[in-house]
Amino acid sequence: MIPDSLPPLLRGLGTALILLTSALVVTVERRTHDEAAALTAIAHLAVKAEEARHQGETGAAALATEVRLLRLQLQGNDLADDVFENPWFQWLGLLGTGLIAASFFAEWRLKRDVARAARAVAPDAP
């Protein structure tokens, strides 16, 4: 192996591994997102049903029900989750990581070819 071409090769392999891991995470996240949305909807309906049963109660029970409803709303309205779940964000992130990996592989190939050409011109040089 040519020593000058080893660092870009390792960076390219590392970035390709990040790319594959990101693609796997996107795939798994899309599957679990649908299940999580269904569970959130079921929990929301359960809290609403409990609220309907305790309509006449006041005080701590009403406050506890309201806190549960607010927590469910916060779970559903997280802006960061909306951004990360956006398909455009996911696909452009994967594309960017792929371009970085490709640039490292191109640098490795170029350095390897330059080193081979230098050895061909001066075979006795170290």
Side-chain angles (χ1 to χ4, degrees):
M1 172 100 9
I2 302 165
D4 287 341
S5 66
L6 185 61
L9 175 63
L10 293 176
R11 287 191 302 263
L13 290 172
T15 309
L17 181 63
I18 291 170
L19 175 65
L20 291 175
T21 304
S22 298
L24 180 66
V25 166
V26 166
T27 304
V28 169
E29 182 63 30
R30 286 191 181 272
R31 287 182 187 160
T32 58
H33 175 69
D34 294 335
E35 294 170 5
L39 289 176
T40 302
I42 291 170
H44 188 67
L45 289 175
V47 170
K48 285 286 191 182
E50 183 180 334
E51 183 181 75
R53 275 187 274 143
H54 297 287
Q55 200 69 356
E57 293 183 18
T58 58
L63 183 61
T65 303
E66 188 66 28
V67 168
R68 278 188 233 125
L69 282 172
L70 288 173
R71 285 183 182 164
L72 286 172
Q73 287 174 352
L74 286 175
Q75 280 180 339
N77 295 333
D78 193 18
L79 179 62
D81 287 342
D82 290 343
V83 170
F84 289 124
E85 291 170 1
N86 186 337
W88 284 101
F89 180 83
Q90 292 173 347
W91 285 110
L92 291 176
L94 292 174
L95 178 66
T97 306
L99 288 174
I100 293 170
S103 72
F104 287 140
F105 285 126
E107 180 185 1
W108 163 69
R109 177 99 183 211
L110 180 67
K111 284 187 176 186
R112 186 184 68 169
D113 291 345
V114 167
R116 284 185 180 172
R119 273 192 302 175
V121 171
D124 296 333

